[in-house]
Amino acid sequence: MKELSLNILDIAKNSVKAEATRIDISIIEENGVRTLTIADDGCGMSPEFLSRVTDPFTTTRTTRPVGMGLPLLKLAAEQAEGDMTIRSQQGEGHGTTVTATFRIDHLDCVPVGDVASTMAALIQGSPEIDFVFTYRTAAGEKFLSTIEMREILGDVPLDTPEVLMWVTESLNEPFTNET
């Protein structure tokens, strides 16, 4: 994948399939390193599946025998002198956390991409799920929480065009140093 926003979309869609009710997505840039973390409270992966999940021929899909999302994210991180880790647990305290790091100034560091449209697409496709998004750089922070949005909007559905437009516009605003 050519940008992190596509990886976010792919992994978050897997979280939705894993019956997550909350998905936390963060991009933190500090000390020359970009860290992408996606954590969910879905059903988690078995230890056996987790041990093979970065193999492109391991997938839960029934439509084709390959799953390239995590292997490509791992490759992108390693090409930018970073790494990727996955923690997952089934049962109590279940869920999965994917973390990838990238050296920002590395020639092969993939761009972040259009996270505003990615978050709007995720909310539109799964308005019942709690999404918490944080993007922090030296220039400031962007934060979005559908939990807070529901508290403010009341009965207004999150997947209405006006709400999705607001999500996109607010995440496309310049960074602010206010948190």
Side-chain angles (χ1 to χ4, degrees):
M1 294 187 206
K2 296 182 180 186
E3 55 188 42
L4 289 183
S5 62
L6 296 175
N7 292 107
I8 291 169
L9 186 60
D10 179 62
I11 294 167
K13 282 176 50 182
N14 288 338
S15 296
V16 170
K17 288 178 189 174
E19 301 176 355
T21 60
R22 178 176 171 145
I23 303 170
D24 291 82
I25 301 165
S26 68
I27 303 168
I28 309 296
E29 297 180 0
E30 58 188 7
N31 302 319
V33 175
R34 177 179 297 137
T35 303
L36 167 66
T37 304
I38 303 170
D40 70 47
D41 65 354
C43 63
M45 294 181 240
S46 70
E48 192 271 328
F49 188 80
L50 180 60
S51 70
R52 300 180 296 117
V53 76
T54 57
D55 177 342
F57 297 102
T58 297
T59 183
T60 58
R61 288 191 175 148
T62 57
T63 56
R64 63 177 188 238
V66 294
M68 297 301 291
L70 290 172
L72 288 175
L73 179 61
K74 184 175 195 268
L75 177 64
E78 290 171 349
Q79 287 178 332
E81 294 183 20
D83 194 17
M84 184 185 81
T85 59
I86 305 171
R87 292 187 339 251
S88 190
Q89 182 176 343
Q90 295 180 309
E92 186 156 343
H94 55 80
T96 300
T97 301
V98 176
T99 304
T101 59
F102 308 82
R103 202 180 90 213
I104 296 170
D105 64 353
H106 195 281
L107 177 66
D108 292 323
C109 185
V110 295
V112 172
D114 188 358
V115 292
S117 293
T118 295
M119 292 308 301
L122 288 169
I123 293 167
Q124 181 179 20
S126 301
E128 72 286 357
I129 292 178
D130 293 331
F131 290 97
V132 179
F133 175 73
T134 305
Y135 186 3
R136 186 172 45 241
T137 71
E141 180 175 294
K142 295 179 185 191
F143 178 79
L144 178 80
S145 168
T146 58
I147 301 164
E148 291 179 5
M149 289 170 61
R150 279 189 201 88
E151 289 173 3
I152 294 167
L153 295 173
D155 292 336
V156 176
L158 296 185
D159 57 352
T160 61
E162 296 83 5
V163 172
L164 296 170
M165 187 181 323
W166 177 85
V167 166
T168 302
E169 289 173 357
S170 68
L171 291 177
N172 276 329
E173 290 178 1
F175 282 98
T176 66
N177 280 317
E178 300 172 9
T179 55

